[in-house]
Amino acid sequence: MGKNNKDNLCRLGKLSDVLPENELHTVKRHLITLKQLIQDSARIGEEMSGVLADLRAVPSSNNDMFVFTPELSQNITLLKAVFRDCNDIKFRFLKTGGRQALLVFLDGMIDSVALELNVLKPLMVFAEEGSDLKKLMEERLTIVALNLETSANAAIEAVMSGNVLILIDGIPELLLIDATKHVKRSVSAPVLEESLRGPQDAFNETLADNLVLLRRRTKDPNIKIRILEVGERSKTAVALIYSANLVKPGLMEEVERRLQALDKDIILVSKTLEEALVEHPWTPFPQLDSTERPEKVIAAIYEGRMAILVDNTPASIIIPCTYASIMQAVDDYTIPASVACLVRISRHAAAFIAIYLPALYIAIVSYHPGMLPTGLAISIAELRARTPFPSFLEALLMEILLELFQEAITRLPKKVSSAASMVGAFVIGTTVVQAGLVNPLLVVVIATTAIASYAMPYYSFGLGLRALRVPILFLAATLGLYGVMLGVIIITVHLCSLKNFGESYLGSMLDVDTIADWKDTLIRAPQRFMKNRPVEFGAQDKKRTGDSQ
């Protein structure tokens, strides 16, 4: 056995004698080549990593969270990560042109019938392979609103707005289809600005419907609409409407600048924008006109002003705003001019009464009873003798009761508010007098003041008048008629000092340079005499007759 092993060992030789390619120098040469290939592969891998990093850094300038790739599986992973825990986001897989495709949409915000007929059906019967999205859009899809997109942020925002996102394997571009179907309120009659003979349609909460209401009233291509997005998180659509050849130079740019400077993450109502646009946030008077009537917006635009429509808000903001424009109502232009003059003059008188009538009563009764006729003075003295409180406390008590009932009626449902108003009238008008807390003449004064504040065409302006009533009461109780006159001077100076996008709030009614505008301020002249646009708004074209260009 040992001899056999020894013979076998003797027969062993070099491996290179049997396999010449395994010689030492040949193996070393192969190892060097392999090492060089490994180094080259590592260098190529680093370069590819850099290329991929550069590709993903392309949208970083637009703050995109990621970049879509031609591989559908990666895009699905990215989208599912973004829309995690969003159970109303639906993913619909299908095949088109021999490729896997995906539809991403928000359930409940799309028109499923239009999507099935105009998108799904053409995609599923499209059998031509190797075609791009542009050819698919031009030859197959029959829906109107569609476009290509590459930005991830824009695509995600479009999906959350109700658009349909289409991704096809092997194609890096995305297809966005507008098949939105919102749950919305239909166009109805105005609620806050009712008119006897004017149009009976008003804005609703859908921006597209509101823009259509404006376009229906004018076919002028100079009416421009610019749509911005405001709100870091809400991405609320805001439309700027103006006439390109009429708007005051620089007005639109200033409004856009203030809107873009608005640092808010969410915009739910137009009042948030109003506070960002006004220059005096602490004044009780409204500095921007707000309306739910489309014809009022068009009329303001053709005066050289501009309007703002906010999505999800059934009202428009009109810029700039003055006291004269706030006191104008739609019915002023649907009735004879002579009657409109009387109505408008009474409206201005009501504004004065809404602030100063209780203060005048307190000042005269407490400090200047000699100004009254003898019979009236004796009658008031007899009425006051039955009440235990001074006139100022009586008026203050009535103001508090009136404000409480007004606020309660505003917040209550309609079916209950009528009953609450009857209870309020009974308490204020009867019970308080019978209890001997307030004299009947003061009840008449406070009731007249409340009715005067209701005569304002703009509700927020009436609220401002109500807010000033109590401070004027304090001045009257302290200084008598001198205090009332001091209040008149302070309020007038304040109104004149208010600036609204360069326009004085009250200055146009006291400025002789704008005397041409007086035909539509305190009075309303016939239309044949109002041939010029208001001077105070700085319209580019002063004539209402238009031009040929």
Side-chain angles (χ1 to χ4, degrees):
M1 188 71 180
K3 185 178 180 180
N4 292 333
N5 291 336
K6 186 176 181 181
D7 294 337
N8 292 332
L9 291 174
C10 291
R11 286 197 292 270
L12 292 176
K14 292 183 178 180
L15 182 61
S16 59
D17 293 339
V18 182
L19 299 173
E21 64 274 12
N22 288 335
E23 293 181 352
L24 183 59
H25 67 277
T26 304
V27 173
K28 288 182 177 179
R29 187 173 67 252
H30 288 329
L31 289 175
I32 294 174
T33 304
L34 180 60
K35 184 177 180 180
Q36 185 64 37
L37 289 175
I38 293 174
Q39 293 177 351
D40 293 341
S41 299
R43 180 177 54 81
I44 294 173
E46 292 177 358
E47 293 178 356
M48 289 298 295
S49 299
V51 171
L52 291 176
D54 292 338
L55 287 176
R56 291 190 176 273
V58 168
S60 62
S61 59
N62 296 327
N63 296 322
D64 280 351
M65 57 185 69
F66 59 86
V67 60
F68 285 104
T69 67
E71 189 173 347
L72 182 61
S73 60
Q74 292 186 5
N75 296 335
I76 294 174
T77 302
L78 295 172
L79 288 174
K80 287 188 174 181
V82 172
F83 295 124
R84 64 183 181 277
D85 296 332
C86 296
N87 296 328
D88 52 348
I89 298 293
K90 303 299 181 183
F91 290 79
R92 171 68 162 85
F93 294 92
L94 68 152
K95 280 195 173 183
T96 177
R99 298 179 178 179
Q100 187 74 22
L102 171 66
L103 269 69
V104 183
F105 56 90
L106 187 60
D107 190 22
M109 288 187 65
I110 63 167
D111 188 348
S112 57
V113 176
L115 183 64
E116 292 175 2
L117 294 179
N118 301 324
V119 178
L120 280 176
K121 187 176 180 181
L123 284 177
M124 298 182 75
V125 300
F126 185 61
E128 184 176 353
E129 298 185 7
S131 298
D132 57 3
L133 279 180
K134 292 184 178 179
K135 185 176 182 181
L136 181 65
M137 293 168 54
E138 296 171 355
E139 299 181 0
R140 296 293 176 177
L141 298 182
T142 58
I143 201 164
V144 177
L146 51 86
N147 62 289
L148 290 176
E149 184 60 69
T150 57
S151 172
N153 284 355
I156 293 170
E157 182 180 337
V159 171
M160 300 306 296
S161 300
N163 292 269
V164 180
L165 178 64
I166 299 180
L167 301 93
I168 300 178
D169 192 21
I171 301 177
E173 293 89 0
L174 318 171
L175 184 61
L176 288 176
I177 296 177
D178 188 1
T180 310
K181 184 179 180 182
H182 294 293
V183 178
K184 61 183 181 180
R185 179 171 61 93
S186 61
V187 176
S188 57
V191 178
L192 299 177
E193 300 176 86
E194 295 183 353
S195 175
L196 297 177
R197 298 181 59 186
Q200 298 301 315
D201 53 349
F203 292 128
N204 62 7
E205 288 78 12
T206 305
L207 180 61
D209 292 349
N210 297 339
L211 296 178
V212 170
L213 291 176
L214 296 178
R215 290 295 188 185
R216 281 181 54 194
R217 285 167 166 79
T218 176
K219 312 301 187 294
D220 187 2
N222 289 309
I223 300 297
K224 308 299 181 182
I225 298 176
R226 298 185 61 180
I227 298 180
L228 310 176
E229 285 187 350
V230 182
E232 187 67 25
R233 295 180 181 271
S234 62
K235 305 292 184 182
T236 304
V238 176
L240 308 182
I241 307 104
Y242 60 95
S243 178
N245 58 352
L246 290 178
V247 67
K248 181 180 179 181
L251 177 60
M252 191 276 298
E253 291 78 6
E254 177 63 18
V255 172
E256 186 175 0
R257 183 191 67 81
R258 295 189 188 186
L259 289 178
Q260 291 178 348
L262 179 61
D263 188 15
K264 288 286 185 180
D265 61 343
I266 181 170
I267 303 295
L268 295 179
V269 293
S270 59
K271 188 62 180 177
T272 307
L273 293 185
E274 292 183 29
E275 295 185 357
L277 293 172
V278 299
E279 301 175 14
H280 304 274
W282 290 104
T283 179
F285 296 102
Q287 300 174 71
L288 300 178
D289 196 358
S290 179
T291 180
E292 58 181 346
R293 304 191 66 93
E295 72 275 7
K296 188 174 179 180
V297 172
I298 295 298
I301 290 174
Y302 280 111
E303 289 179 345
R305 297 190 280 172
M306 63 177 298
I308 299 177
L309 281 171
V310 182
D311 197 15
N312 304 315
T313 300
S316 173
I317 303 171
I318 299 177
I319 300 172
C321 168
T322 62
Y323 170 78
S325 63
I326 283 181
M327 297 299 286
Q328 297 172 356
V330 176
D331 284 332
D332 294 349
Y333 305 93
T334 60
I335 58 178
S338 58
V339 180
C341 291
L342 294 176
V343 171
R344 188 169 290 182
I345 291 173
S346 65
R347 194 178 296 142
H348 290 286
F352 181 87
I353 292 173
I355 300 179
Y356 301 111
L357 183 59
L360 288 172
Y361 171 83
I362 298 300
I364 293 175
V365 170
S366 301
Y367 290 91
H368 313 281
M371 297 179 60
L372 299 173
T374 304
L376 181 58
I378 295 174
S379 176
I380 293 176
E382 291 177 353
L383 294 174
R384 289 189 59 195
R386 302 173 188 172
T387 57
F389 303 112
S391 298
F392 171 70
L393 291 181
E394 290 180 2
L396 188 60
L397 174 63
M398 290 297 297
E399 285 291 339
I400 294 174
L401 287 176
L402 181 63
E403 291 298 325
L404 289 177
F405 281 117
Q406 287 177 337
E407 189 66 18
I409 293 172
T410 303
R411 306 303 170 200
L412 286 174
K414 291 183 178 180
K415 294 182 179 180
V416 185
S417 61
S418 58
S421 61
M422 294 176 61
V423 173
F426 178 73
V427 171
I428 294 179
T430 304
T431 308
V432 173
V433 175
Q434 291 179 353
L437 299 177
V438 178
N439 70 78
L441 183 58
L442 182 59
V443 174
V444 175
V445 170
I446 296 299
T448 305
T449 305
I451 294 173
S453 65
Y454 299 151
M456 298 300 103
Y458 190 31
Y459 179 71
S460 294
F461 186 70
L463 290 178
L465 300 181
R466 287 161 52 184
L468 293 173
R469 198 181 302 155
V470 175
I472 300 299
L473 271 178
F474 278 95
L475 286 176
T478 306
L479 301 174
L481 286 179
Y482 299 103
V484 176
M485 291 305 301
L486 179 62
V488 172
I489 294 173
I490 292 174
I491 293 176
T492 304
V493 171
H494 173 68
L495 289 175
C496 291
S497 64
L498 286 180
K499 292 291 185 179
N500 186 260
F501 290 92
E503 304 297 336
S504 177
Y505 199 78
L506 191 62
S508 62
M509 300 187 66
L510 306 175
D511 188 358
V512 294
D513 293 335
T514 60
I515 192 172
D517 297 347
W518 292 4
K519 292 179 290 187
D520 197 20
T521 53
L522 289 175
I523 62 172
R524 200 277 281 179
Q527 293 291 343
R528 68 177 66 181
F529 297 108
M530 293 192 293
K531 297 181 179 180
N532 296 327
R533 293 184 172 86
V535 178
E536 61 176 336
F537 297 130
Q540 300 180 39
D541 185 7
K542 306 300 181 183
K543 300 291 184 180
R544 291 186 185 271
T545 56
D547 53 29
S548 59
Q549 296 181 1

